[in-house]
Amino acid sequence: MRDPKAIFEPRNVVLIGSSALAEEFGMASPQLFENVAFNMKKFFKGKTFILDAGKGRVTRNLAEACRRSQLAVIALPPRKSISFLEKGAALGVKTFVLIAGGYSDKQRSKLLELKAKYGIRILGPNSIMGVLNTANGLNTTFARDTMPNRGNIGVVCQSGGVGASLLDWACFNKIGISKLAFVGDKIDIDDADLLRYLGDDKDTKVICLYIEGVKRGDVFLKVASRVVEKKPILVLKGGATEESAQRAKSHTASIVGSDEVFDAVFKKAGVIRVGDIEELMGSAVALSKQPPMLGDNVAVVSNVGGPSILAADAVVRHGLKLALLSEKTRAKIEERFSGVDATNPIDLVADARGDRYSGVLRLVLADHGVDGVLVINMLKSTFFEPKDAEVIPKAAARYPDKPVVDVPMGGEDFSLVQAVLGPSRIPLYDIPEKAVKALKALRSYGAAVARH
Amino acid sequence: MRDPKAIFEPRNVVLIGSSALAEEFGMASPQLFENVAFNMKKFFKGKTFILDAGKGRVTRNLAEACRRSQLAVIALPPRKSISFLEKGAALGVKTFVLIAGGYSDKQRSKLLELKAKYGIRILGPNSIMGVLNTANGLNTTFARDTMPNRGNIGVVCQSGGVGASLLDWACFNKIGISKLAFVGDKIDIDDADLLRYLGDDKDTKVICLYIEGVKRGDVFLKVASRVVEKKPILVLKGGATEESAQRAKSHTASIVGSDEVFDAVFKKAGVIRVGDIEELMGSAVALSKQPPMLGDNVAVVSNVGGPSILAADAVVRHGLKLALLSEKTRAKIEERFSGVDATNPIDLVADARGDRYSGVLRLVLADHGVDGVLVINMLKSTFFEPKDAEVIPKAAARYPDKPVVDVPMGGEDFSLVQAVLGPSRIPLYDIPEKAVKALKALRSYGAAVARH
């Protein structure tokens, strides 16, 4: 079967909407059509043929547009969408994105009939926001003038709302995205197809899924297992409880299994399950910037006492371990940096500046009993200056097999250090709890890779 | 015993530090002394007598300063601190804050001896940042030029780092604070003393504790139980695991009990335990702005599908229930707002504006099966405008016995709605998970109040 490459990598795109028609409730509206057109014109590097079904003479332009396009994006109510899909397929377009939902069972059958007849692929219906590719500027979302930075996190999302929120989150926090696809009702192209594509995509290093249900569980498991050998997959599952699962079923017409079944499938495939959107993005950033963690042992290096105790609590609570440093490492640290207590969590004392962080971090990273490091560097109650944080990526770069995450704990403190370390390879978290969840994801991927 | 009122409400303060002396490792330094002096001069409404022990003629000024001050803040190393404490006590000062740590057992004994001899009260040693009162501008922290907004959240903190982080968080996110005390080693004034004071303090509506250990467990339990009848107490416990508890013991010289014991004491007193700093602040804001929740039943009202499913998952995961709306309420909603599915979580559909939110919210809040409401209003994939959010506090105000929290999910979306609702009585969270934790705290307080 034709792979969904044209979904992300069309040379040219035909966009069909209407400046007049609108669904009573839903996603085909003149305003949203105008927004998608705006985004395509502004960001897409190929040519976009914009056809307004609300105006005359569409048919003549349609032939030219379809002849030259690899992808058709249709933002019209069901009946009109089907009609244009059929025309486009007859004119040679092989891949379609159907934005609006609200299809009847009969209309779905018709879509599958057309798929078989013309050998086309369909994303949606109810895709809502379609696709986004930061490499070629493809952006069929109606979040006007919103485009995330280029990056290596690929996202597959079953909900327009969750996807829009992830997009907003990524833009606001400058998290780099490679590709983003909204799968909607998954009548044809599904998670397994997109996983396979993103697994091979050289721009994608980490894959994030938001899933409410899976239609081909066996295929998903097979594809996910293979992809995990190459790159990590994170999943946030909506409808994890019986009550909300019922709602998920009506939301995107998925076949919803019990949460235990999903959990077993995810575990078997080596897919890393997270609990909420913040953990999804925080873990994705960690996996995109840092190596997997190859053992459970975490060292905490901090210039404040209380927060390092909270970090130690979180390490243990999330099933990791507080690393036991060798006597040799401890002796070296305490000898070179008098006043530092080298028992993990390691207290560098409030007057620690970059040099002390650098020296201790290198000794800690060199210790065989340490698999990863959580650094805490507060400013407000200490002598630490934002630029001192530059020593952290430098020390981490010398030990490329051990992950390092950083917690400039607080509000303003976080933003001040983020201004320095944001573009670096060190992921940043505003409280220890979130950093430990990220290390847990790095550990899970380390374990998944070791198993293969 | 003299209550610790003078800690927060002195008319005048004497601040003793040194522009020359410094501890080798620690908190008595010329720079920090200068910062505390800056804060006191800038913010404190009373008179601050600033005495520099590094310069001559301190003794003569000391007599005048101590005669007129109710509180002495001493930012000097142990030996010098004790010496000035004794002089100050002899000159009539009754309350002392000792900033620096590093006291020997003998020096601690000396402090307690002086306490008995002069009938004084001592906060610390190792208080690090001392006290802060937004009502009179008292601010002995060395976070230069940092003062949170006036508000009704009182904080008692055993760690300088955690406290500084809470202070930073509050300032950055414009969370109003009434009083903040750093208890440090708790040689004299402890959590129970401060709880009793904050329990009676009319400016304080919610109390937040960060605790690593408790010295008088029976007194704590008794005082906390009484305070909970008047206002909620939230606690974040550091050293929750055996390994980190060991560290906590050395950090603030507390007697540390097993985590199970603490949990039982907190439960018995009706103190609400939280897992991390963000949950502490998020729950405190909810408790300061909204009524306790008197039952388990949560209604979710949303303009997006996926996020409302994640909210429903979180509701169930945190031990709350999805409210079952009456047939009458459902019929009314679906009759008045065609297209809306009134099964909880209630989907208002992406084109919902303020009027639909207002109408549905009022019907939902009026339903006897609903104890609290979680609203989700995304902007990015919907027609919702930030100013539409103004209907939420209006609807909530009509049902003052049922809490309402709001999730403008995402990054920019959150900040846009925050600009509108920030000063309102509706607490805001960027993901459903955090809003549900806040509802859980409101529910816990509702249960604690009902028990009394």
Side-chain angles (χ1 to χ4, degrees), chain B residues 127-145:
Chain B
S127 164
I128 307 290
M129 281 200 157
V131 284
L132 190 148
N133 177 355
T134 53
N136 65 7
L138 178 71
N139 185 337
T140 75
T141 76
F142 50 79
R144 192 186 178 91
D145 209 6

Side-chain angles (χ1 to χ4, degrees), chain B residues 209-264:
Chain B
L209 302 179
Y210 171 72
I211 281 183
E212 289 174 1
V214 170
K215 277 177 177 158
R216 302 182 295 161
D218 50 339
V219 181
F220 177 88
L221 175 58
K222 211 171 87 182
V223 174
S225 301
R226 278 199 208 139
V227 170
V228 167
E229 289 175 34
K230 292 184 279 186
K231 52 191 82 171
I233 302 173
L234 292 157
V235 66
L236 175 63
K237 165 86 173 51
T241 65
E242 209 175 312
E243 283 158 301
S244 51
Q246 272 309 107
R247 166 59 66 168
K249 199 169 169 178
S250 72
H251 177 227
T252 42
S254 307
I255 293 162
V256 177
S258 89
D259 197 59
E260 289 72 25
V261 172
F262 279 106
D263 219 46

Side-chain angles (χ1 to χ4, degrees), chain A residues 295-374:
Chain A
D296 289 338
N297 304 294
V298 178
V300 177
V301 176
S302 173
N303 61 346
V304 275
S308 75
I309 290 169
L310 291 173
D313 284 346
V315 162
V316 177
R317 190 165 58 235
H318 289 283
L320 298 171
K321 290 177 189 148
L322 279 176
L324 198 65
L325 268 64
S326 72
E327 273 309 314
K328 207 172 137 191
T329 303
R330 291 181 53 175
K332 267 191 199 167
I333 291 173
E334 296 186 354
E335 184 188 304
R336 287 197 209 164
F337 304 96
S338 79
V340 171
D341 182 343
T343 309
N344 186 22
I346 300 155
D347 191 352
L348 299 187
V349 191
D351 61 349
R353 297 291 305 268
D355 53 345
R356 199 182 300 161
Y357 267 91
S358 178
V360 173
L361 266 177
R362 284 165 197 231
L363 289 169
V364 168
L365 281 162
D367 190 299
H368 291 301
V370 172
D371 298 307
V373 180
L374 189 156

Side-chain angles (χ1 to χ4, degrees), chain A residues 254-288:
Chain A
S254 307
I255 295 163
V256 177
S258 88
D259 198 60
E260 289 71 26
V261 172
F262 279 105
D263 219 47
V265 168
F266 295 149
K267 279 215 179 81
K268 198 165 177 193
V271 168
I272 303 159
R273 188 167 182 178
V274 297
D276 59 53
I277 287 187
E278 189 169 27
E279 189 183 349
L280 181 67
M281 295 308 268
S283 299
V285 169
L287 285 158
S288 77

Side-chain angles (χ1 to χ4, degrees), chain A residues 194-424:
Chain A
L194 293 163
L195 271 184
R196 199 185 289 118
Y197 170 82
L198 291 173
D200 292 334
D201 178 40
K202 64 174 178 27
D203 288 339
T204 299
K205 215 176 143 183
V206 182
I207 300 170
C208 293
L209 302 179
Y210 171 72
I211 281 182
E212 289 174 1
V214 169
K215 276 176 177 157
R216 303 182 293 161
D218 50 340
V219 180
F220 177 88
L221 176 58
K222 212 172 86 181
V223 174
S225 302
R226 279 199 206 136
V227 170
V228 168
E229 290 174 33
K230 291 184 280 188
K231 53 190 82 172
I233 302 174
L234 291 157
V235 67
L236 175 63
K237 165 85 174 51
T241 66
E242 209 175 310
E243 284 157 300
S244 52
Q246 272 308 105
R247 165 60 64 167
K249 199 169 170 181
S250 72
H251 177 227
T252 43
S254 307
I255 295 163
V256 177
S258 88
D259 198 60
E260 289 71 26
V261 172
F262 279 105
D263 219 47
V265 168
F266 295 149
K267 279 215 179 81
K268 198 165 177 193
V271 168
I272 303 159
R273 188 167 182 178
V274 297
D276 59 53
I277 287 187
E278 189 169 27
E279 189 183 349
L280 181 67
M281 295 308 268
S283 299
V285 169
L287 285 158
S288 77
K289 291 189 164 194
Q290 288 288 307
M293 193 155 87
L294 303 177
D296 289 338
N297 304 294
V298 178
V300 177
V301 176
S302 173
N303 61 346
V304 275
S308 75
I309 290 169
L310 291 173
D313 284 346
V315 162
V316 177
R317 190 165 58 235
H318 289 283
L320 298 171
K321 290 177 189 148
L322 279 176
L324 198 65
L325 268 64
S326 72
E327 273 309 314
K328 207 172 137 191
T329 303
R330 291 181 53 175
K332 267 191 199 167
I333 291 173
E334 296 186 354
E335 184 188 304
R336 287 197 209 164
F337 304 96
S338 79
V340 171
D341 182 343
T343 309
N344 186 22
I346 300 155
D347 191 352
L348 299 187
V349 191
D351 61 349
R353 297 291 305 268
D355 53 345
R356 199 182 300 161
Y357 267 91
S358 178
V360 173
L361 266 177
R362 284 165 197 231
L363 289 169
V364 168
L365 281 162
D367 190 299
H368 291 301
V370 172
D371 298 307
V373 180
L374 189 156
V375 183
I376 297 175
N377 44 9
M378 278 188 59
L379 310 179
K380 281 279 176 327
S381 59
T382 74
F383 288 70
F384 197 86
E385 299 283 339
K387 67 172 168 37
D388 292 340
E390 286 169 0
V391 305
I392 302 169
K394 281 183 193 151
R398 295 174 70 101
Y399 298 88
D401 295 333
K402 295 187 181 180
V404 175
V405 298
D406 187 36
V407 182
M409 187 153 128
E412 191 190 30
D413 279 16
F414 177 81
S415 69
L416 289 169
V417 173
Q418 194 182 33
V420 176
L421 287 194
S424 82

Side-chain angles (χ1 to χ4, degrees), chain B residues 311-334:
Chain B
D313 285 346
V315 163
V316 177
R317 188 165 59 237
H318 289 284
L320 298 172
K321 290 177 188 149
L322 280 175
L324 198 64
L325 268 63
S326 73
E327 273 308 315
K328 208 172 138 192
T329 304
R330 291 182 53 176
K332 269 192 198 168
I333 291 173
E334 296 187 354

